[in-house]
Amino acid sequence: MDTSTPTRWITPAGLIPVAIAGGLFIWFAQMIPVIGGGDTLRYVWEWVPSLGVNVSIYIDGLSLTFALLITGIGALVMLYSARYLAGHVHQARFSLYLTSFMLAMIGLVISDNLLALFVFWELTTITSYLLIGFSHDTAKARRSALQALMMTGVGGLALLAGIILIGTTAGTFEMSEINAMDGVLKDSVMYLPIVLLVLAGAFTKSAQMPFHFWLPNAMAAPTPVSAYLHSATMVKAGVYLMARTHPSLAGTDFWLWTLTIFGAVTMVFASIMALRQTDLKLALAYTTLMALGALTLLLGNESGYTITAAATFLVVHSLYKAALFLVVGILDAQTGTRDANSLFGLARALPITATAAAIAAFSMAGFPPFLGFIGKELKYAGAIAVASEPIFVAGAVLISSALMVAIAGIVSFRPFWSKSGTPIPNVKEAPWPMLVGPVVLAILGAFFGIFPETLATTLVNPTVAAIIGNAEPAKELKLWAGVNLPLFLSIATFVLGFTIYYYKQKLRGILIGMTTRGPSFDNGWDKLMAGIASGSKALTRTIQTGVLYHYMIVTFGTALAVLAVTLWFRSTGIPAMGVPQVELWDWLVFLLVLLGAVLTLITNSRITAIAGLGVVGIGMAMIFILYSAPDVAITQLLVETLVVVLFAAAALKLPHLTPEPLSRRWLDALIAIGLGVVTTVILLKVTTGPIDRELTTFFETSSWPEAFGQNIVNVILVDFRALDTFGEIAVVLIAAISIFALLKAKPEEEK
Amino acid sequence: MNSVILIAGARLQAVLLLVFSAYMLLRGHNAPGGGFIGGLIAATGFVVYAIACGTADARKALRFDPGSIAGAGLGIALFAGLMAALWGDALFTGQWLFIGATEDDKGIPLSTVLIFDIGVYLVVLGAVLSIAFSLEEAV
Amino acid sequence: MEQLLSVLIGVLVASSVYLMLARNLLRFLFGLILLSNAANLTIFVAGRLTPGAPPLVPDGLDAPIGDVANALPQALVLTAIVIGFGLFAFALILAFRAYQSLGTLNTDEMRVAEPKEN
């Protein structure tokens, strides 16, 4: 888009988010002295006490670091977007999504209750979905948005299961309490499932191999979104989760190896893939993946070096990566392209952007005196401190760091300073709201590099304390740590990095050749989706046959199986039956109902069947009369009359019954007889067992004194249980309305 | 069916059943009866009437559309239940008013419970007749 | 008598299930009526049978004297009968209209919603 023509950008939709983010940043910033002093803050409000869900805020170094990154980068990104999207039709919608995301993300990092954390986790997934799909008129954006939603959503469900396991194992959902209980999760039998489920959530959210492919696709979102969500904040939620649960879950071989392997593979894979890209934004996306891999790798350990490295790198990466994304956004906006092969020598046209890009890139490449250098040194020191496999880890860090150097060159050097091509003419510097973000972020990287103590005491040490319990093992951040192994590794990194940069075109050609031939995760995803769709269709076809008989036989068969199995295992034998007291009347009624039922069963005449049903109904009414239920008996008689009248009116317009011989229905007969027998046995057991007449006694003794009625049945209906009766007459009315609609609607024309 | 005797009989019977149904409804709280039974009895009267004289005549004799009767009944029942709120009780708590009550005699008891039962009566009557009439007209 | 009625209910259930498994929709309806009768009777019998003592409070007393019939299942059955009538009427009209539209009562041939594939 063209930002050279002045557009009105000072709008409420553009600036309210900036104010919110800025205000929150200041609010969090004033906590720095308290948290930096080693304290933590905790506020608790009950939300759903019956489920143990609280709204509890817990702020320690880890939360505060994240909250400051979220609000600080948020304010800058929102200022940037206010100008970047000025005049866009849906700018207000964009601001709403972005602000909602920010609030959800803050909620995520300051919630102490894991269930609340989960709710915010899902909210970030949803807002991310909306933001990736912001340009919803393109199929690519829609697909990418859905892919991100599915990947992180599935991970979120796994996380929910993990959280529930944690809650039941520890007896509370408050993470600060769980972390204070030493070994409550590590020593439990549920440890393995908990770790697997939590990591499933963390790895999908933080895009570890092989769940990484949604993140590059998420670059379909507008550039500020990529800078904010898919680099600095949301994708770090998985990292946050691993750090937050670190005290309770880390320290086992399983944790160490899982995080080390996934992290290292992601790191190396992503940095190689980054070199392959010519789209600058995609290249940055892959370097983000690399950073996430590095953080995962570092969090696998417990040593002071690695955790300090993780905490520092977290801040470093957020600063330079957000700055670089915003720079790419400026390049895109001012020149109309993000292709590495068509951007050259723009430093003269875009002097401020070029400077910011250079500073950020130095930090990314890890040159002194920038914060990135300290971060890299610490990574090496941490890698060497990994007790088990220092060479493997340090090697992985070396390869990816060298590639970072090369990519920093591709993203920030070539477009501005390279003379290998002609610069695009008539490019103007971006307006100031878009420059503030990259400049501030880049300068912060340099500032913290020169004065690392400020960062260490305010954020890094408290974060380390939050992750491994105390700040003692935290390593000092310094530019010059003496001549040691990390320094040599740094030098090796630069040499290797420059070599790669020099041969980048050749290497890219090889990589493109390799990756186009190899299997693609994206295609695999499409196949998976298609497979799920066709699988569910086949399943639906199998279950929903559309034949009433299938539904009925499954229903009755299941009922029979469940009842029979329960009876078989729970039964204490056939109940002892005394000689039943049966009067002559009883036998007559019994035979009457039996006759009606059998008549209905065997006849092929509609009239006979209806008559049989009438006989059954009359017999029922007689039973009710004999056994003291006058109200029921009257109702039964009246309803029976109406049933016969209606049936006679309708059934005679229906065709004759055709015989369905028993010889072809032996299975039906078997199920029918089985259900009959099971019902009889259950009833025999019920009626010979004890009966609890508490409710009946209550109705009998309160019917007259409290409800002024002598007919207890009626009092129950219209007074004690009036709400039920109200529901029932509502059902009767609904039936009448439905029937009315069925009959009055005109039958469709038959072909 | 054009039997004069049936038509005359059905008319008479419908009236008798209607009166009887009201009696069953009102005595329902203290003796067998009530809204369900009363409504069914009244409905039976009109169904017989419809068989004898046709649904058009029966609808005319009923004066109101059966669907409206049922709807009104549901509204009355709901109203009776909501009235409890006026006395600050939980919904559907019966409220009683004894007119001219003395130590020994309850006087004339009026209650939301009776209003509720009248609602039930009307829903059953209206719903059954709506079903029966529309079926008779359709076949 | 409970035992005798338990057997009777078994017979009613067996008959209704056999009828509901038939291909003819009219038989299905017969089965539906028998099944709701069986269900009502089950509730009634499960509350125990008391001959000759309806659940009424005599004049001038606060509660019935001695054992009277269980009022609770009676109240349940009473509404169940009316609801059952509504259900039956709806099913009947549905069958009636289905026959008018499709020209058959054989449930195997009623496949407008889920037509047979291939």
Side-chain angles (χ1 to χ4, degrees):
Chain A
M1 80 203 56
D2 181 23
T3 53
S4 55
T5 52
T7 320
R8 252 178 56 82
W9 66 277
I10 303 179
T11 57
L15 293 184
I16 290 175
V18 184
I20 297 175
L24 283 168
F25 178 78
I26 294 166
W27 188 61
F28 282 114
Q30 54 87 26
M31 296 179 189
I32 291 177
V34 182
I35 305 294
D39 284 336
T40 56
L41 301 170
R42 187 157 186 264
Y43 311 93
V44 181
W45 298 272
E46 283 190 349
W47 185 17
V48 192
S50 54
L51 292 177
V53 182
N54 293 332
V55 177
S56 47
I57 290 183
Y58 181 73
I59 298 178
D60 58 2
L62 180 65
S63 323
L64 189 62
T65 305
F66 266 96
L68 285 171
L69 287 175
I70 293 160
T71 50
I73 297 179
L76 296 170
V77 166
M78 281 158 178
L79 180 64
Y80 182 96
S81 332
R83 187 67 185 81
Y84 187 81
L85 282 175
H88 193 288
V89 197
H90 295 310
Q91 194 197 5
R93 187 186 292 177
F94 179 84
S95 298
L96 178 68
Y97 292 165
L98 205 59
T99 313
S100 317
F101 163 76
M102 181 183 68
L103 296 175
M105 194 67 205
I106 294 172
L108 199 165
V109 297
I110 64 175
S111 294
D112 194 20
N113 189 288
L114 285 173
L115 291 174
L117 181 145
F118 170 76
V119 171
F120 289 118
W121 180 281
E122 293 295 59
L123 282 175
T124 64
T125 299
I126 291 165
T127 42
S128 155
Y129 166 75
L130 293 170
L131 284 164
I132 299 172
F134 181 65
S135 314
H136 54 80
D137 41 6
T138 67
K140 186 172 178 298
R142 290 198 300 270
R143 175 178 180 274
S144 302
L146 195 62
Q147 191 180 48
L149 180 72
M150 299 267 229
M151 280 307 290
T152 50
V154 168
L157 289 180
L159 174 64
L160 177 62
I163 286 174
I164 290 168
L165 281 185
I166 291 178
T168 48
T169 309
T172 172
F173 285 106
E174 305 295 312
M175 201 59 219
S176 59
E177 293 172 17
I178 297 169
N179 281 343
M181 291 186 251
D182 199 24
V184 66
L185 300 181
K186 248 176 282 186
D187 301 337
S188 121
V189 284
M190 298 310 280
Y191 175 72
L192 195 63
I194 287 174
V195 170
L196 284 174
L197 290 167
V198 168
L199 288 185
F203 284 0
T204 47
K205 194 84 166 177
S206 284
Q208 299 296 299
M209 275 271 280
F211 312 116
H212 65 281
F213 49 88
W214 69 264
L215 184 56
N217 286 340
M219 295 300 134
T223 303
V225 173
S226 308
Y228 190 37
L229 271 74
H230 304 117
S231 175
T233 54
M234 189 194 89
V235 289
K236 298 239 171 73
V239 173
Y240 171 80
L241 183 70
M242 287 185 272
R244 179 52 79 209
T245 53
H246 195 275
S248 297
L249 297 178
T252 60
D253 279 351
F254 182 73
W255 176 272
L256 171 69
W257 282 112
T258 312
L259 266 66
T260 307
I261 292 172
F262 273 89
V265 169
T266 306
M267 190 167 76
V268 174
F269 166 83
S271 41
I272 295 174
M273 285 300 286
L275 189 65
R276 177 203 185 284
Q277 310 304 325
T278 53
D279 181 344
L280 293 179
K281 200 171 164 188
L282 269 184
L284 285 179
Y286 278 102
T287 61
T288 304
L289 272 182
M290 172 267 168
L292 295 170
L295 286 167
T296 306
L297 169 78
L298 292 169
L299 282 172
N301 294 275
E302 283 189 301
S303 82
Y305 266 121
T306 50
I307 301 302
T308 313
T312 314
F313 186 56
L314 173 75
V315 179
V316 176
H317 172 259
S318 297
L319 295 179
Y320 76 67
K321 191 53 64 64
L324 287 179
F325 262 113
L326 296 180
V327 163
V328 169
I330 291 176
L331 279 176
D332 195 7
Q334 306 303 102
T335 67
T337 178
R338 302 189 307 240
D339 185 9
N341 290 329
S342 41
L343 291 165
F344 300 101
L346 289 166
R348 194 176 296 269
L350 303 167
I352 306 173
T353 312
T355 316
I359 301 173
F362 280 135
S363 200
M364 173 171 167
F367 286 110
F370 299 97
L371 189 55
F373 177 70
I374 300 176
K376 181 160 53 64
E377 295 274 290
L378 276 170
K379 267 198 284 173
Y380 281 129
I384 298 162
V386 174
S388 42
E389 289 292 328
I391 298 174
F392 166 70
V393 176
V397 175
L398 177 68
I399 295 175
S400 50
S401 299
L403 281 158
M404 280 310 102
V405 174
I407 290 152
I410 294 174
V411 176
S412 315
F413 178 76
R414 238 161 75 100
F416 297 106
W417 315 98
S418 166
K419 298 208 165 28
S420 0
T422 43
I424 298 173
N426 298 329
V427 176
K428 286 185 194 145
E429 182 60 287
W432 71 265
M434 289 171 66
L435 289 172
V436 172
V439 169
V440 169
L441 292 170
I443 290 177
L444 274 178
F447 174 81
F448 286 135
I450 299 164
F451 305 105
E453 276 310 304
T454 44
L455 186 65
T457 51
T458 50
L459 293 180
V460 171
N461 290 352
T463 306
V464 173
I467 299 177
I468 50 178
N470 60 67
E472 286 302 311
K475 292 300 156 193
E476 253 187 279
L477 307 188
K478 29 186 168 178
L479 274 174
W480 179 249
V483 180
N484 53 12
L485 191 53
L487 187 66
F488 289 121
L489 284 170
S490 272
I491 295 166
T493 308
F494 295 137
V495 174
L496 193 58
F498 284 122
T499 320
I500 295 172
Y501 180 72
Y502 189 73
Y503 290 111
K504 60 179 179 303
Q505 297 291 17
K506 264 186 199 153
L507 283 169
R508 187 181 290 155
I510 298 170
L511 281 172
I512 290 174
M514 270 166 57
T515 45
T516 40
R517 256 173 292 148
S520 145
F521 284 96
D522 231 16
N523 290 345
W525 169 264
D526 285 339
K527 286 209 185 88
L528 181 68
M529 286 290 112
I532 291 174
S534 62
S536 50
K537 192 180 171 199
L539 188 65
T540 311
R541 273 277 154 231
T542 317
I543 300 173
Q544 304 283 330
T545 56
V547 177
L548 182 66
Y549 176 75
H550 294 161
Y551 301 149
M552 295 316 294
I553 199 148
V554 168
T555 308
F556 286 131
T558 311
L560 175 59
V562 169
L563 291 175
V565 167
T566 313
L567 265 185
W568 181 262
F569 284 108
R570 305 290 287 276
S571 151
T572 48
I574 296 291
M577 263 187 287
V579 182
Q581 285 211 323
V582 182
E583 310 282 330
L584 178 64
W585 271 109
D586 298 337
W587 279 113
L588 287 179
V589 174
F590 175 81
L591 289 174
L592 188 69
V593 176
L594 199 66
L595 174 76
V598 171
L599 209 57
T600 316
L601 192 62
I602 57 172
T603 183
N604 282 322
S605 146
R606 293 163 303 175
I607 294 293
T608 315
I610 294 169
L613 288 172
V615 170
V616 172
I618 303 292
M620 295 270 298
M622 289 172 75
I623 294 171
F624 293 137
I625 291 173
L626 281 175
Y627 291 96
S628 328
D631 292 271
V632 185
I634 299 170
T635 313
Q636 170 76 29
L637 271 175
L638 290 166
V639 165
E640 205 50 50
T641 315
L642 288 168
V643 165
V644 171
V645 169
L646 290 190
F647 225 153
L652 297 181
K653 300 284 174 187
L654 298 174
H656 289 280
L657 293 168
T658 44
E660 297 183 42
L662 182 63
S663 53
R664 276 190 240 149
R665 298 190 55 201
W666 58 268
L667 181 64
D668 302 351
L670 215 61
I671 290 181
I673 292 168
L675 266 174
V677 170
V678 165
T679 313
T680 300
V681 173
I682 291 175
L683 258 179
L684 285 176
K685 284 176 167 304
V686 167
T687 49
T688 46
I691 182 169
D692 180 359
R693 282 180 64 117
E694 191 188 340
L695 267 179
T696 307
T697 314
F698 166 78
F699 290 134
E700 281 170 359
T701 50
S702 3
S703 181
W704 177 250
E706 284 180 34
F708 313 109
Q710 290 169 299
N711 180 358
I712 302 171
V713 173
N714 185 266
V715 172
I716 293 176
L717 286 176
V718 298
D719 200 333
F720 291 129
R721 306 298 311 156
L723 187 60
D724 293 352
T725 308
F726 182 74
E728 280 147 2
I729 57 175
V731 171
V732 171
L733 179 59
I734 291 167
I737 293 171
S738 316
I739 289 166
F740 185 81
L742 265 179
L743 284 172
K744 296 295 170 180
K746 279 200 184 274
E748 70 232 57
E749 288 298 315
E750 292 302 320
K751 287 171 199 145
Chain B
M1 275 180 264
N2 284 326
S3 154
V4 179
I5 297 174
L6 180 65
I7 292 173
R11 284 200 173 136
L12 185 63
Q13 191 206 22
V15 174
L16 284 176
L17 283 178
L18 203 57
V19 173
F20 182 56
S21 76
Y23 166 71
M24 287 300 268
L25 164 69
L26 293 176
R27 74 168 209 160
H29 215 55
N30 295 321
F36 281 108
I37 290 171
L40 284 169
I41 291 173
T44 311
F46 277 100
V47 168
V48 173
Y49 190 97
I51 292 172
C53 315
T55 46
D57 267 13
R59 276 186 193 276
K60 221 176 280 168
L62 190 62
R63 280 165 189 265
F64 297 100
D65 173 55
S68 310
I69 294 177
L74 196 67
I76 289 171
L78 182 64
F79 170 72
L82 293 181
M83 271 181 44
L86 293 181
W87 284 269
D89 282 328
L91 293 186
F92 289 99
T93 310
Q95 306 296 337
W96 291 79
L97 182 65
F98 299 103
I99 294 171
T102 58
E103 282 290 312
D104 307 317
D105 189 38
K106 284 201 298 180
I108 303 164
L110 292 180
S111 67
T112 59
V113 170
L114 180 65
I115 298 175
F116 183 81
D117 222 6
I118 292 172
V120 174
Y121 173 93
L122 291 177
V123 171
V124 173
L125 171 67
V128 170
L129 286 185
S130 168
I131 295 168
F133 287 175
S134 36
L135 183 68
E136 290 277 341
E137 282 158 2
V139 296
Chain C
M1 182 61 180
E2 277 97 344
Q3 290 92 329
L4 201 59
L5 283 186
S6 301
V7 173
L8 188 62
I9 290 167
V11 174
L12 285 176
V13 167
S15 315
S16 66
V17 169
Y18 188 74
L19 284 167
M20 287 175 88
L21 285 170
R23 300 308 204 272
N24 188 302
L25 204 52
L26 205 51
R27 283 209 173 87
F28 179 90
L29 286 176
F30 297 155
L32 191 68
I33 296 177
L34 281 186
L35 193 64
S36 67
N37 276 330
N40 291 340
L41 206 52
T42 304
I43 299 173
F44 190 65
V45 173
R48 304 299 187 274
L49 303 173
T50 313
L56 300 169
V57 182
D59 285 335
L61 289 178
D62 275 356
I65 322 159
D67 281 345
V68 293
N70 198 340
L72 185 58
Q74 292 194 18
L76 296 178
V77 170
L78 200 152
T79 46
I81 291 173
V82 179
I83 297 260
F85 171 73
L87 174 70
F88 157 74
F90 182 72
L92 175 69
I93 307 300
L94 201 58
F96 179 70
R97 282 306 308 267
Y99 177 67
Q100 280 188 334
S101 293
L102 305 172
T104 177
L105 277 182
N106 187 332
T107 55
D108 285 357
E109 292 162 20
M110 295 182 165
R111 305 195 60 164
V112 176
E114 284 101 357
K116 206 167 191 159
E117 281 194 345
N118 305 320

